[in-house]
Amino acid sequence: MLSFIQGSPNQVGKRELVRAFQVSSADRPAFKALLRELEDEGTIDRGRRRKFSEKGRLPNVVILDAIRIDADGDLVGHPAGWEEKAPPPLIYIDVKTEKQSALAIGDRVLARVTPIEDGAYQAIPIRKLPGGPRQILGICEHTENGNLLVKPVDRRERQTITVTKAQSQGANHGELVLVAVEQSSRKRAAIGNIVERIHDAGIEKALSLIAIHSHGIPHEWPTAALEQAEACTSVKLGKRTDLRETPLVTIDGEDARDFDDAVWAEADPDSENVGGWHLIVAIADVAHYVHAGSPLDRVAYERGNSTYFPDRVVPMLPEALSNGWCSLRPKEDRPCLAVHLWISKKGRLKRHKFDRALMKSAARLTYEQVQAAHDGSPDDTTEPLIETVIEPLFGAYRCLEKARRKRGALALDLPERKIIVGSDGLMTGVVKRPRWPSHELIEEFMILANVAAAQTLLRKHAPGLYRVHEPPDPERVADLRKALGSMNIPLNPPSSVHARDFNHVLDVAKDNPAANLINMMILRTQSQARYEPDNLGHFGLALPQYTHFTSPIRRYSDLIVHRCLIGKLGLGDDGIETEAIPDLRDISDHISMTERRSAAAERETVDRFTAAFLEDSVGATFEAVVNGVSRFGLFVSVTDSGADGILPIKRLPNDYYEVFEGTHTLAGRNNGQVFSVGDPITVRLTDADPMTGSLAFDYVDHTSLIPKTQRRGGRGGKQRKGRNPRTQSKRTANKGSGRQAHKKIK
């Protein structure tokens, strides 16, 4: 009977056993006693509907909680409400069907399960269920009674979660874990169970992991994708154009490891284009190695883009490709998709041509090296390249710069900061990223190549993805116009605003003490750039057609554009053909989401590293700038490190404060104290929490005193008498410091 139960693909009940063994009425008491004996021994389980199965075996249909994605890219689940002492079985949830493709970590699903090898199960979803226990990422802390307290890493989660020893999965003090909250209310303590142990003790080395797991960024490689990447080899010349004698060079940051674009320029010898230039932008031929539908393609699509943290990178492609065969290393043959660009002396793109080629980078250069060589201080690497490579690049760049100024591309001036991390994984400081013409040179070359790609897709009526940046919302522009009006800076009406109108404002305000504020106000007025299968233009760059073509190692959008160009231009059999166009709407929505996901994770991680860096400086005073006002206080940014934090309103001089959104000010009703966005302020650090990345400050020094009559204006208007502005419901204005600002619109 035990063999029958163990061998059955489904659970069996008494009826099936009686029928299978032809149990007579006289044998029924012995039959029932035998079943009880097997149950008492723990050999079989009595499951739902009083049916029997092998001990530990799940019923046919169960409710599962999706908890993680494993190294092979499979969604793994646990039975909901698992209460056994033994760990839950490994359950692979099949999400290949179109109906269930939306399943993700944290979802609850009704599924049909089938045993597979080694005690694991395969689950076929029947339907997605609402509810499911809320899952929170947190750090374990031991208590005296042996239980654990899990402190959430999300600053919005205020309750710690109690986990009993039996539900702890053996987690230790200081570990980063994922906990399912089973019970929580304001009156009762939150209780939960640990569903995954993520990282050993030592939170200072897990700051990036917090963001990776809290945002669900895939970071483990499926075996099939790794094997495919490791099997890649060099490329023969074949039908490719030979560019190995052309001294193309890569120009990147000093800490860059993947080099996916190379550039070259010469004065155009065409007598009809005097003063013009011939440029080549060569991009790593990722499409040669990553074919549509392959394991590498699936993992690249899932990630959508590379994600960059201060101490690590989560690349879109395995290292064998991203730092190997798809990286344009110096003195090594590499396949590329090259675009020849001919521009006039005014920087206008006259014509272009795409080629599949084989190149050999002449040198791996840094922005600093190239700038120093151009300024007259070459080193051993750049000195032989000054006349033949570097100066022609700058010559072409000067023409492109003229064209950019003429078309009125948005020219925000927002400094970027770089987190310095030591070999121990801890932040050691922060520096302002330099901005040299060598940076702008590469930027202009890449923009021109992207324009050429977009024009080709449109001219050939080819499918494609476009980088879209729509004009700002008229209401936002109207708000900005009012705020600028209070500073006597004019701006065109919302219905007719152009990027060059914002540039005019920036020119007028460049010597204004509030210049940084005005840059931030203009940035916050802009819409969010995204990917679309339809060309809608790029407002910020003032371009009627634009796409992303130049970074296929780190952006899936660029890989799709490469395939579209290859297919339509007949450059190989690994492009997208007309009869096999993928769903570009779904792809554009997905990669726009993954881009936002990465940006949020990167931003939060910088906050956590900064909080960890400043943890030992609690009590110290800092010079800062007000970068936001709200009804509950000020948002401030420390001048030397760029660290952002909150200065609660209760820490300001005692008064009733009113928010005036039109002028971005917080004003005391009685004492005349005014805090405006852009004001310098002295603050004292009172709290730094690396887990949440939050900083809190105390007020040290006042900023300005102005008469009450000058405080009115903007959307704040007059307040009704007797109303306490601390409890007044007002929209928060100007939160944040603008890190990664250019990512928003480019």
Side-chain angles (χ1 to χ4, degrees):
M1 190 159 62
L2 180 60
S3 296
F4 179 82
I5 292 173
Q6 291 174 335
S8 173
N10 302 315
Q11 288 184 312
V12 295
K14 287 183 181 179
R15 182 180 301 174
E16 289 85 358
L17 290 169
V18 167
R19 187 181 300 118
F21 291 97
Q22 298 180 349
V23 179
S24 66
S25 298
D27 290 333
R28 288 291 178 92
F31 166 74
K32 291 180 180 179
L34 181 58
L35 285 179
R36 284 195 298 272
E37 183 180 340
L38 291 173
E39 279 191 85
D40 292 341
E41 290 175 354
T43 308
I44 63 173
D45 273 338
R46 187 191 298 265
R48 296 176 61 192
R49 298 181 182 176
R50 302 179 63 80
K51 291 198 172 186
F52 299 96
S53 64
E54 185 180 357
K55 177 68 176 178
R57 181 167 170 172
L58 297 177
N60 292 351
V61 177
V62 293
I63 296 174
L64 302 175
D65 290 323
I67 62 156
R68 64 185 174 89
I69 295 174
D70 71 0
D72 291 324
D74 293 319
L75 186 63
V76 175
H78 282 175
W82 182 261
E83 296 179 353
E84 304 291 334
K85 292 183 179 179
L90 197 60
I91 304 173
Y92 299 102
I93 303 175
D94 188 349
V95 294
K96 294 179 181 178
T97 61
E98 181 179 349
K99 183 180 178 181
Q100 299 298 339
S101 60
L103 285 179
I105 295 172
D107 287 341
R108 175 165 280 191
V109 61
L110 182 69
R112 192 177 303 279
V113 296
T114 306
I116 53 178
E117 69 278 359
D118 300 326
Y121 290 82
Q122 183 76 20
I124 304 298
I126 298 173
R127 65 176 177 273
K128 188 175 176 180
L129 300 175
R134 192 162 52 103
Q135 295 189 347
I136 294 175
L137 202 64
I139 303 296
C140 291
E141 296 178 357
H142 269 307
T143 62
E144 293 181 359
N145 60 6
N147 293 337
L148 290 175
L149 289 179
V150 178
K151 184 177 180 181
V153 298
D154 189 336
R155 68 186 72 179
R156 294 168 295 185
E157 298 285 350
R158 300 185 179 276
Q159 270 190 312
T160 56
I161 301 101
T162 300
V163 177
T164 64
K165 190 174 182 180
Q167 302 290 341
S168 68
Q169 301 263 9
N172 298 311
H173 180 83
E175 273 194 62
L176 180 65
V177 298
L178 187 66
V179 60
V181 181
E182 301 292 349
Q183 173 186 313
S184 178
S185 71
R186 291 186 178 183
K187 296 182 179 180
R188 294 184 293 179
I191 297 174
N193 62 84
I194 292 175
V195 296
E196 185 178 3
R197 297 168 63 183
I198 294 170
H199 193 271
D200 295 337
I203 187 60
E204 68 278 358
K205 295 184 179 180
L207 297 177
S208 298
L209 286 175
I210 292 174
I212 289 170
H213 284 269
S214 61
H215 288 276
I217 296 174
H219 65 288
E220 294 181 324
W221 297 110
T223 303
L226 285 177
E227 290 175 350
Q228 186 182 349
E230 293 293 338
C232 293
T233 59
S234 59
V235 173
K236 303 292 184 183
L237 178 63
K239 297 180 180 180
R240 293 177 179 269
T241 302
D242 194 346
L243 291 178
R244 288 176 291 183
E245 298 302 317
T246 302
L248 288 148
V249 296
T250 62
I251 305 175
D252 296 276
E254 190 173 353
D255 54 354
R257 295 178 61 192
D258 53 346
F259 318 119
D260 54 5
D261 57 81
V263 294
W264 172 85
E266 67 171 356
D268 191 351
D270 189 344
S271 60
E272 296 184 1
N273 190 28
V274 177
W277 296 86
H278 170 213
L279 291 64
I280 299 178
V281 175
I283 306 299
D285 193 353
V286 177
H288 171 79
Y289 293 105
V290 183
H291 297 161
S294 67
L296 278 173
D297 182 56
R298 290 196 295 271
V299 75
Y301 169 78
E302 183 184 24
R303 297 184 179 208
N305 48 262
S306 298
T307 307
Y308 296 87
F309 299 106
D311 63 335
R312 72 187 72 200
V313 177
V314 180
M316 188 180 79
L317 295 171
E319 190 171 344
L321 290 181
S322 60
N323 296 342
W325 294 113
C326 292
S327 187
L328 306 181
R329 295 176 176 176
K331 313 301 181 185
E332 296 182 18
D333 288 2
R334 287 291 185 269
C336 65
L337 186 57
V339 55
H340 295 255
L341 306 147
W342 287 269
I343 63 172
S344 69
K345 64 180 180 180
K346 294 183 179 180
R348 184 176 63 85
L349 180 60
K350 295 174 67 67
R351 61 189 177 96
H352 60 268
K353 181 185 74 169
F354 284 90
D355 266 336
R356 227 158 175 192
L358 192 67
M359 62 159 287
K360 183 186 292 184
S361 172
R364 178 267 198 266
L365 305 177
T366 68
Y367 295 115
E368 186 175 13
Q369 275 182 302
V370 172
Q371 191 62 50
H374 178 64
D375 293 341
S377 300
D379 58 19
D380 293 342
T381 303
T382 56
E383 187 166 16
L385 301 173
I386 291 178
E387 293 186 8
T388 57
V389 176
I390 294 175
E391 287 310 311
L393 288 173
F394 274 93
Y397 158 64
R398 283 188 288 269
C399 293
L400 294 174
E401 186 186 28
K402 291 177 185 176
R404 181 188 181 100
R405 286 200 304 266
K406 183 176 180 180
R407 71 173 188 267
L410 191 58
L412 291 168
D413 182 18
L414 293 164
E416 293 185 52
R417 297 179 186 272
K418 177 182 178 182
I419 301 293
I420 307 299
V421 177
S423 57
D424 58 357
L426 300 179
M427 177 177 168
T428 59
V430 60
V431 296
K432 182 179 176 180
R433 288 187 184 272
R435 180 73 174 171
W436 295 312
S438 56
H439 289 90
E440 297 171 5
L441 182 156
I442 291 299
E443 188 175 273
E444 289 302 321
F445 274 55
M446 297 305 114
I447 289 173
L448 188 66
N450 288 333
V451 168
Q455 288 182 355
T456 300
L457 293 174
L458 290 167
R459 187 174 67 249
K460 294 288 186 178
H461 303 288
L465 291 178
Y466 296 89
R467 184 62 170 176
V468 168
H469 181 230
E470 294 183 283
D473 182 271
E475 287 189 12
R476 289 188 177 185
V477 178
D479 290 346
L480 175 66
R481 192 164 179 252
K482 289 179 182 178
L484 293 173
S486 69
M487 305 177 190
N488 296 317
I489 300 176
L491 177 66
N492 279 341
S495 59
S496 62
V497 73
H498 185 277
R500 66 170 61 92
D501 298 318
F502 293 124
N503 289 342
H504 175 71
V505 170
L506 294 171
D507 287 339
V508 170
K510 63 183 177 181
D511 296 323
N512 191 308
N516 188 62
L517 162 65
I518 293 169
N519 271 270
M520 290 304 305
M521 289 165 58
I522 290 175
L523 171 68
R524 289 164 181 151
T525 304
Q526 304 305 308
S527 61
Q528 176 75 52
R530 66 183 190 278
Y531 294 103
E532 284 280 344
D534 302 315
N535 175 49
L536 302 177
H538 199 293
F539 176 84
L541 293 174
L543 291 167
Q545 55 277 125
Y546 192 67
T547 189
H548 273 170
F549 157 79
T550 55
S551 294
I553 289 179
R554 60 185 180 90
R555 292 190 304 229
Y556 193 75
S557 61
D558 304 49
L559 176 56
I560 291 292
V561 169
H562 276 228
R563 289 175 181 161
C564 292
L565 291 169
I566 291 167
K568 203 65 179 180
L569 297 175
L571 298 177
D573 57 4
D574 46 4
I576 291 176
E577 302 296 338
T578 304
E579 60 272 14
I581 299 173
D583 191 332
L584 295 179
R585 173 62 61 188
D586 282 353
I587 292 175
S588 64
D589 289 346
H590 173 74
I591 61 179
S592 294
M593 178 278 293
T594 62
E595 179 186 47
R596 293 191 298 270
R597 177 180 69 186
S598 292
E602 292 166 356
R603 188 167 55 246
E604 290 176 11
T605 303
V606 168
D607 288 343
R608 290 189 174 100
F609 268 91
T610 305
F613 178 63
L614 293 175
E615 195 172 16
D616 293 335
S617 298
V618 170
T621 58
F622 299 92
E623 296 305 314
V625 174
V626 177
N627 63 33
V629 298
S630 77
R631 60 186 175 84
F632 52 82
L634 304 176
F635 297 101
V636 299
S637 181
V638 176
T639 304
D640 59 355
S641 67
D644 295 322
I646 181 72
L647 200 168
I649 203 164
K650 65 182 179 181
R651 297 292 188 177
L652 296 175
N654 190 34
D655 200 352
Y656 287 123
Y657 288 90
E658 300 172 273
V659 175
F660 295 93
E661 294 180 2
T663 54
H664 306 284
T665 57
L666 186 71
R669 181 183 293 179
N670 301 314
N671 64 12
Q673 187 82 56
V674 174
F675 300 94
S676 299
V677 173
D679 281 348
I681 185 173
T682 305
V683 295
R684 180 183 296 108
L685 182 63
T686 59
D687 182 62
D689 187 345
M691 286 188 295
T692 62
S694 59
L695 299 173
F697 295 96
D698 202 351
Y699 174 75
V700 174
D701 198 6
H702 69 278
T703 54
S704 62
L705 291 172
I706 62 172
K708 277 189 179 182
T709 54
Q710 296 181 26
R711 282 189 250 136
R712 303 295 181 188
R715 292 183 65 176
K718 291 186 178 182
Q719 307 295 333
R720 285 184 288 177
K721 290 183 179 181
R723 189 168 188 180
N724 185 343
R726 292 196 188 193
T727 60
Q728 184 177 347
S729 176
K730 274 190 166 289
R731 180 168 56 88
T732 299
N734 297 306
K735 182 176 180 179
S737 67
R739 270 199 309 270
Q740 298 181 327
H742 294 281
K743 283 190 176 183
K744 176 180 179 180
I745 62 172
K746 285 188 179 177

